[in-house]
Amino acid sequence: ICNKKLKNMEVAYMFTNSDFKVELMNGEDVKSFIKRHGDFSRVCYNTPEHRAEGCGLHCLKSGHLSGSRHLYFEFRITNVPRHMIDQLVRHEVGITKNVQSLRYVDKSNMSIYFPPEVVNDINLLADFKTMEMELKVFHERIKQQLIEKGITNKERVNEICRTFIPIGVSSSCSFACNLEGLINLCHKRLCTRAEQPIRLVVQAMVKAVLEVEPRYKEFLVPQCEYLGRCPEGKHGCGRVK
């Protein structure tokens, strides 16, 4: 029965780094953030309103960012491994987030993250594909058993089935951060030692921001570029001496 159902469904297969999607949801707003930063901050020196943009740029370059804490960059991040999201949501200050629920979202037709090392190895690739299909079959079998036991509430079925869903399952989140939160995120997650998926996602976030406001470029960098030295001890990647 399970195999028959799987054959009849549109089966989702593996996804890789190239399938990650990052969208800046409020790009039009971001275009005005530096001016709004200045408008909020100009009270400090009683700066005239017509000089708000210059005030914001001065605050940005001098590191006076308290006037930007109400301005949030909003991202929609989709088709990424759940373990990447687990790293992303560890950031707290200047951050707000909402993560796809494995209670409300049915993952029967799960798609699993395949790292580059797997994709580039024919034997590993075959094993991962087998595992992914077996997980779908197992998921469907458990669902059927639960339904036969009279557990028909979809949320309860999902709650039970998520017990064995792998941490590499495709997932999504909404993620918003103010400028200080984004700078700190870049300092930590653009580091070469950061895991590849989160580094790629943060790179995509930076790219999306710079496309609408390139003046943020010098601030959205790994920590070594900000400090001028590697803070990771003896074993730096060579980006700086």
Side-chain angles (χ1 to χ4, degrees), residues 66-123:
S66 60
S68 67
R69 288 177 185 154
H70 62 300
L71 304 172
Y72 275 74
F73 302 83
E74 300 172 14
F75 300 93
R76 180 178 288 113
I77 302 170
T78 56
N79 204 31
V80 295
R82 187 57 174 253
H83 60 73
M84 193 289 303
I85 294 176
D86 287 348
Q87 294 178 60
L88 194 63
V89 299
R90 291 178 186 175
H91 293 260
E92 292 290 343
V93 180
I95 305 289
T96 186
K97 56 264 187 176
N98 205 315
V99 178
Q100 184 183 77
S101 171
L102 296 181
R103 182 188 190 197
Y104 301 118
V105 178
D106 184 358
K107 288 294 182 180
S108 298
N109 196 21
M110 67 184 78
S111 180
I112 307 300
Y113 172 63
F114 283 31
E117 295 86 348
V118 171
V119 177
N120 296 326
D121 185 296
I122 188 169
N123 295 317

Side-chain angles (χ1 to χ4, degrees), residues 226-240:
Y226 170 73
L227 295 175
R229 61 178 178 82
C230 176
E232 292 287 339
K234 298 178 183 178
H235 305 293
C237 68
R239 187 194 296 265
V240 297

Side-chain angles (χ1 to χ4, degrees), residues 38-52 55 59:
D39 197 40
F40 196 85
S41 304
R42 64 188 179 85
V43 65
C44 184
Y45 284 89
N46 201 28
T47 303
E49 184 177 358
H50 72 274
R51 292 177 58 193
C55 178
C59 288

Side-chain angles (χ1 to χ4, degrees), residues 12-196:
Y13 289 107
M14 61 179 231
F15 70 104
T16 67
N17 292 338
S18 61
D19 298 308
F20 298 173
K21 293 181 174 60
V22 176
E23 175 192 359
L24 179 63
M25 297 162 60
N26 62 334
E28 287 301 313
D29 292 336
V30 171
K31 291 177 182 179
S32 66
F33 272 10
I34 291 177
K35 182 177 180 181
R36 291 172 64 187
H37 183 171
D39 197 40
F40 196 85
S41 304
R42 64 188 179 85
V43 65
C44 184
Y45 284 89
N46 201 28
T47 303
E49 184 177 358
H50 72 274
R51 292 177 58 193
E53 181 104 11
C55 178
L57 194 58
H58 174 76
C59 288
L60 176 62
K61 289 185 175 294
S62 60
H64 296 167
L65 305 182
S66 60
S68 67
R69 288 177 185 154
H70 62 300
L71 304 172
Y72 275 74
F73 302 83
E74 300 172 14
F75 300 93
R76 180 178 288 113
I77 302 170
T78 56
N79 204 31
V80 295
R82 187 57 174 253
H83 60 73
M84 193 289 303
I85 294 176
D86 287 348
Q87 294 178 60
L88 194 63
V89 299
R90 291 178 186 175
H91 293 260
E92 292 290 343
V93 180
I95 305 289
T96 186
K97 56 264 187 176
N98 205 315
V99 178
Q100 184 183 77
S101 171
L102 296 181
R103 182 188 190 197
Y104 301 118
V105 178
D106 184 358
K107 288 294 182 180
S108 298
N109 196 21
M110 67 184 78
S111 180
I112 307 300
Y113 172 63
F114 283 31
E117 295 86 348
V118 171
V119 177
N120 296 326
D121 185 296
I122 188 169
N123 295 317
L124 281 172
L125 184 61
D127 285 343
F128 263 61
K129 285 183 175 179
T130 299
M131 173 203 66
E132 186 182 53
M133 183 54 68
E134 287 178 349
L135 279 168
K136 296 177 197 289
V137 173
F138 182 70
H139 194 289
E140 189 61 37
R141 186 165 73 243
I142 296 299
K143 277 178 63 177
Q144 291 303 314
Q145 290 183 51
L146 292 172
I147 291 170
E148 288 170 9
K149 288 179 178 293
I151 303 173
T152 57
N153 181 280
K154 290 183 179 180
E155 291 176 15
R156 184 57 185 148
V157 170
N158 288 341
E159 285 174 352
I160 295 170
C161 288
R162 69 181 173 182
T163 304
F164 54 81
I165 291 176
I167 200 167
V169 70
S170 173
S171 193
S172 305
C173 71
S174 296
F175 188 85
C177 47
N178 62 25
L179 182 56
E180 287 169 291
L182 183 58
I183 288 172
N184 181 62
L185 181 71
C186 291
H187 283 181
K188 301 298 188 292
R189 303 300 184 173
L190 291 181
C191 173
T192 307
R193 295 186 67 182
E195 190 178 359
Q196 188 182 55

